[in-house]
Amino acid sequence: MRSSPPLLSIIIVSYQSGPTLERCLAGLRAQTLDDFEVLMVDNASSDGAPQAAVAANPSIRLLEPGANLGFAAGNNLAAREARGRWLVLLNPDAYAQPDWLEALIAGTLRHPEVRCFTSLQMVADEPDLMDGAGDVMTSAGIPFRGGYRRRLPPNLREGEVFSACGAATLIDRDLFLSLGGFDERFFCYCEDVDLGYRLRLAGEATLLLPAARVEHVGSASTGVRSDFAVFHGSRNRIWTFLKNTPPLLLWLTTPLHVAVTAGLLLLHARRGDAAPVVRGIRAALKREALDPILASRRELQASRKAGSWDILRAMAIDPVAFFGRRIVIRRYRSLDR
């Protein structure tokens, strides 16, 4: 281990990631900025890929909790062990361009008051298409990845997005830990949006840096439309809405949220996978699960610095903006100075 702390701590949570992990690590070896450590969490994989990676590169710090903690708790575990000033959250199916880390750090120097940045994600096997340009939240409380599978605009601007996608995020370690990291009850899916919402409530901005690029497969371990993904996405979306939405905005938008959730359920029914959606909704609203979420809500709302208008102006006003996978990037205030 190096004597002085690195600038960056890159965290990779691995679960059955053998088909993608080596390419992910190759992208890190090719970086033009090398002031980083790599921490890998093995969530009880059976493929041996994390152990093989460490055997090939002993500088990787392997954390083996002995169970599948999920994406949220796995990242939290590594964040507590990290030594860098900045945490870099990287999915094992995300492949960084050689100047990715350099572009992220350049963003921190341009905006020293900002403590969370997100990357431009491109589709790994169709690099002309975006996988995501920051996460968007609609006025109905439905999150989605902006620009998903849309062509990259010629002049995509740097600016403020609602939240960062956890596949390729840079965040101040002290800030991450002070907020409690990811909510481990989420296990995976929407935990990054929940964290981004809490950042907003705390008065923190998240900036998209289009020059910082990765190619992303997406749900390589769980499947994009698997029952697992649909269940967790449906449950956690409701928790994110109930936990974070300021009181006035919650009162105004709950009918929208219910209506859009019902509409999404009908779409899943037409597609033949409504069962995990129903299970997710039921799990979200069970008393034993909902009471702790509402307790967290009371704590968050009591300490928040942002009001309903602050949150609403960062959203996509169209409650069904996810149908067009719209990109929502606001001009960041410091860019106007």
Side-chain angles (χ1 to χ4, degrees):
M1 183 181 292
R2 68 172 82 195
S3 57
S4 59
L7 177 63
L8 303 165
S9 293
I10 301 175
I11 298 174
I12 301 172
V13 176
S14 180
Y15 175 72
Q16 307 297 78
S17 303
T20 63
L21 185 57
E22 174 51 35
R23 184 176 170 188
C24 172
L25 294 173
L28 295 181
R29 291 194 296 271
Q31 289 299 299
T32 55
L33 186 155
D34 63 1
D35 190 6
F36 63 85
E37 64 175 350
V38 178
L39 296 90
M40 186 179 302
V41 179
D42 175 20
N43 264 343
S45 304
S46 61
D47 59 8
Q51 291 74 21
V54 173
N57 182 1
S59 69
I60 296 173
R61 296 170 60 191
L62 180 63
L63 305 177
E64 298 178 278
N68 185 355
L69 302 182
F71 182 82
N75 274 289
N76 289 352
L77 171 65
R80 292 191 294 269
E81 297 291 328
R83 301 168 64 238
R85 155 80 169 79
W86 296 94
L87 300 178
V88 181
L89 312 182
L90 182 65
N91 277 11
D93 62 352
Y95 314 134
Q97 294 296 305
D99 63 348
W100 175 56
L101 292 177
E102 190 174 351
L104 287 173
I105 291 303
T108 70
L109 297 177
R110 286 194 301 277
H111 307 289
E113 74 284 5
V114 177
R115 296 194 284 174
C116 184
F117 299 85
T118 192
S119 310
L120 176 61
Q121 298 171 195
M122 306 301 293
V123 177
D125 58 355
E126 297 180 74
D128 291 336
L129 299 181
M130 291 180 290
D131 178 73
D135 284 347
V136 181
M137 179 69 77
T138 73
S139 59
I142 307 295
F144 64 94
R145 258 183 279 165
Y148 178 68
R149 299 198 69 84
R150 288 178 54 181
R151 294 207 170 273
L152 179 64
N155 296 303
L156 186 67
R157 71 183 185 185
E158 179 176 295
E160 189 171 359
V161 293
F162 189 85
S163 60
C165 176
T169 292
L170 177 76
I171 185 168
D172 179 276
R173 177 177 179 269
D174 289 343
L175 175 63
F176 182 84
L177 293 176
S178 72
L179 291 171
F182 290 125
D183 188 330
E184 297 183 5
R185 293 169 293 197
F186 283 51
F187 195 77
C188 62
Y189 294 101
C190 287
E191 75 293 310
D192 49 359
V193 180
D194 170 73
L195 176 66
Y197 212 141
R198 285 185 279 132
L199 283 167
R200 289 217 154 270
L201 292 173
E204 299 280 346
T206 297
L207 294 194
L208 169 71
L209 302 176
R213 297 191 183 188
V214 301
E215 295 180 2
H216 185 219
V217 176
S219 299
S221 298
T222 61
V224 176
R225 290 184 177 176
S226 66
D227 283 4
F228 178 90
V230 172
F231 167 80
H232 283 84
S234 300
R235 182 193 67 181
N236 296 351
R237 192 165 56 230
I238 294 172
W239 282 352
T240 300
F241 175 73
L242 292 177
K243 178 181 169 186
N244 295 289
T245 310
L248 176 60
L249 199 58
L250 182 71
W251 182 78
L252 291 172
T253 61
T254 292
L256 273 178
H257 186 80
V258 172
V260 174
T261 299
L264 290 172
L265 176 58
L266 290 175
L267 288 176
H268 279 279
R270 290 181 60 185
R271 216 165 59 193
D273 61 350
V277 178
V278 173
R279 286 191 287 108
I281 293 171
R282 286 176 175 170
L285 300 177
K286 280 185 178 178
R287 182 68 177 270
E288 59 269 26
L290 187 58
D291 282 352
I293 292 293
L294 294 179
S296 295
R297 170 185 173 76
R298 288 190 288 273
E299 293 178 10
L300 277 170
Q301 302 306 320
S303 62
R304 64 185 168 88
K305 297 179 181 177
S308 291
W309 171 246
D310 298 315
I311 299 300
L312 184 62
R313 65 179 293 275
M315 292 177 164
I317 300 303
D318 181 355
V320 292
F322 51 84
F323 279 123
R325 298 292 179 180
R326 291 225 315 261
I327 301 171
V328 179
I329 303 172
R330 311 290 184 189
R331 183 176 292 278
Y332 179 59
R333 59 184 179 272
S334 73
L335 299 181
D336 292 327
R337 293 173 183 169

